[in-house]
DNA sequence: CTGAAAGCGCTTACAG
DNA sequence: CTGAAAGCGCTTACAG
């Protein structure tokens, strides 16, 4: 019928008709293939533009078996880390023209598994950060050929491409810094004992002390409240330390607040250090010595690796370790008991 | 061929064959339609399970014209807000079985437009937060029939479903609190003059003062540095205030740090208040009076509205206002100049 | 309740 | 360089 009005979304057929070519040529022109004349390409592109044509991604992915989308599966994370990671991944994804399907806040392995399954078929690859996931969960819920990169997740018994934070090294560096600035009784407030990061940080602390000093550990759980409790315990106890290394910054902030209330001066009486370098670490009084991880960068690099896997590169043996950087601030200044 | 091995992802055809029914029945059973016998459904489900079948979403969306995915478009946001919003949206989306396509960090209208276009066809609806977007951008880059909910975005000249934060009301409440606790020279450190939130907060401040006190405004830009600058200006100037209401918490933190350096006591010499209630607001010394917005809740409710739109409900006239809640903390305690 | 078949909108050998 | 046609994996009238 002549003079017909387009009621529906235009398809490639409409574009082809308007450009007076076959759908095959329209497809080729649209996709930037080189087996079309320049004249054809121009006509097709003009037609597409005038119709405000956009390909149906479902149809395309049905033919190409690609979705140009990657999934990001996250656990229930605290604010800063979470958003920095998404930011880093998102920027890298956008640069490569990949879309990002995000799912967060998964409390246990079951939830994570459900999400993995629901993403199967929607994505070309998966970025997974989940402390709950193990080899079985991975094997049961994903196709073997779906590229996947693990973020800071220890998956027992599986060799998968992963980005690991060197928690041991970071904790070691922080502790050595305290030792070398003259502190003689360095306590550690740990994270949850079941948490792998937490275990590694504690091990780094203990190894750094090895021989020179006895270790002094109060168990915490990465929360501010646990930092408060631990600080009170340490200060009022019989083994008062002259330095505290908290397993993360949030815990260190708890220590700081409690020490302040107890009238203990930081760093003069007790030096303090954390881990992560959350933005808040710069803002406390005094500001906080810590080990910095560039989360956004970590996310971006992980996406690059995943993208390589999607492109068909063999990434199965790739595994990168991110080394935290010691950031010395005022909370650990001066000399401690031994003077400086 | 008998004994053949499935090399590829199983399709509904494989499921149907194994269950010994037609693909039509398989489809119906899989989708929970009621026009299949219980026996058929069971056979199909069992077959699907044993094959680890998962529907190809592209194919499905080609038939159904739905993607079961919604897009979330964000500007370049500061950490806390960003992650809280995603968390809220994600949780609500998961509950409804919707997937979430996220794109963030868009500096200007062009970038936002590109993202909107790239999401067209991939999503059933869009959640858009962008200060840069206007009616033209929206109209040019989206289908008219794509449901969309705006988040805290003023779109001049368009009537679209939106969630607006009552910035005026929040600022008014904070300012009234300062007035009523006896402060007599209340200054305001504004956000960027071009920013709508910023304008509204300033208007709230001015309206709350109306008549009783003169307004005293220093222009800022929502950054900590601008808070520092403004505080210094106010304290060293000839019109020293006894209270400062900063346009957001980050600015207020800047004020606090600068006041501390200048030896000005908060709240004794100068009361201080912010806006947003970022987590840091509880942690400063003294902790910060502010106006709290429940961002995660906002995100969740916005998704619910969008989902209703996707289901075909008419949401074009819906517009919700989120009222911030005054949170009084120690930074505004006591009486100020007039005593308390 | 069930099945054969058309159709959704693309891409890609294949033949020319 | 171009086009006709098959095929990707689903859903859904339609007929029975």
């Amino acid at each position: 019928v002549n003079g017909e009005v387009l009621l529906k979304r235009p398809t490639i057929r409409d574009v082809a008709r308007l450009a007076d070519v076959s759908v095959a040529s329209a497809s080729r022109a649209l996709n930037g293939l080189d087996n079309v004349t320049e004249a054809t390409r121009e006509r097709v592109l003009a037609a597409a533009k005038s119709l405000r044509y956009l390909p149906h991604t479902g149809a395309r992915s049905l033919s190409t078996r690609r979705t140009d989308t990657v999934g990001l599966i996250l656990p229930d994370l605290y604010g800063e880390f979470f958003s920095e990671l998404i930011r880093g991944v998102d920027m890298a994804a956008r640069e490569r023209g990949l879309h990002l399907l995000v799912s967060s806040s998964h409390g246990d392995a079951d939830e994570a598994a459900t999400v993995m399954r629901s993403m199967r078929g929607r994505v070309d690859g998966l970025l997974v950060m989940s402390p709950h996931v193990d080899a079985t969960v991975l094997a049961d819920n994903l196709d073997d050929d779906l590229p996947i990169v693990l973020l800071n997740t220890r998956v027992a018994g599986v060799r998968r491409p992963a980005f690991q934070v060197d928690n041991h090294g970071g904790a070691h560096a922080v502790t050595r810094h305290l030792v070398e600035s003259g502190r003689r009784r360095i306590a550690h407030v740990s994270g949850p004992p079941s948490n792998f990061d937490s275990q590694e940080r504690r091990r780094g602390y203990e190894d750094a002390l090895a021989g020179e000093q006895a270790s002094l550990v109060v168990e915490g759980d990465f929360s501010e409240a646990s930092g408060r409790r631990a600080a009170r315990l340490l200060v009022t106890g019989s083994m008062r330390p002259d330095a505290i290394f908290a397993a993360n910054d949030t815990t260190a902030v708890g220590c700081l607040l409690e020490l302040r209330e107890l009238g203990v001066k930081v760093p003069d009486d007790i030096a303090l250090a954390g881990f992560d370098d959350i933005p808040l670490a710069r803002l406390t009084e005094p500001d906080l010595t810590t080990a910095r991880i560039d989360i956004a960068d970590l996310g971006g690099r992980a996406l690059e690796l995943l993208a390589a896997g999607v492109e068909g590169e063999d990434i199965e043996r790739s595994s990168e370790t991110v080394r935290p950087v010691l950031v010395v601030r005022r909370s650990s200044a001066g000399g401690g008991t031994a003077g400086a």
Side-chain angles (χ1 to χ4, degrees), chain A residues 93-112:
Chain A
R94 200 133 43 90
E95 210 160 282
R96 292 183 151 273
L98 291 173
H99 290 259
L100 195 61
L101 209 54
V102 172
S103 189
S104 59
S105 315
H106 308 295
D108 57 46
D110 272 0
E111 278 183 54

Side-chain angles (χ1 to χ4, degrees), chain A residues 213-234:
Chain A
Q213 295 183 31
S215 72
L216 178 60
V217 178
V218 179
E219 185 176 308
D221 60 9
F222 283 155
S223 74
E224 189 190 318
S226 77
R228 280 191 178 264
R229 272 195 306 275
R232 177 166 294 268
L233 205 71
L234 286 166

Side-chain angles (χ1 to χ4, degrees), chain A residues 69-93:
Chain A
T69 302
V70 297
L72 175 59
I73 296 183
L74 299 170
D76 207 342
L77 279 172
Y78 51 101
E80 308 283 3
F81 192 99
F82 184 74
S83 55
E84 279 305 292
L85 187 68
I86 294 183
R87 183 190 306 277
V89 173
D90 176 56
M91 286 180 58

Side-chain angles (χ1 to χ4, degrees), chain A residues 224-225 227-229 231-232 235-236 240 252-266 269 285-286:
Chain A
E224 189 190 318
R228 280 191 178 264
R229 272 195 306 275
R232 177 166 294 268
V235 167
T236 58
R240 184 160 168 165
V253 167
C255 292
L256 186 61
L257 295 175
E258 193 70 18
L259 292 175
R260 184 186 291 156
E261 282 183 16
L262 294 168
V264 177
K265 296 241 175 307
V266 174
D269 301 332
E285 177 56 36

Side-chain angles (χ1 to χ4, degrees), chain A residues 245-299:
Chain A
F245 164 42
N248 70 351
D249 288 346
T250 305
T251 302
V253 167
C255 292
L256 186 61
L257 295 175
E258 193 70 18
L259 292 175
R260 184 186 291 156
E261 282 183 16
L262 294 168
V264 177
K265 296 241 175 307
V266 174
D268 298 352
D269 301 332
I270 294 184
L272 186 63
F275 203 109
D276 289 342
D277 197 24
I278 62 177
L280 176 56
R282 295 182 310 104
L283 300 174
T284 53
E285 177 56 36
D287 47 11
L288 195 64
T289 292
T290 188
R292 169 168 168 70
I293 311 171
D294 190 337
I295 303 300
D297 180 59
L298 172 71

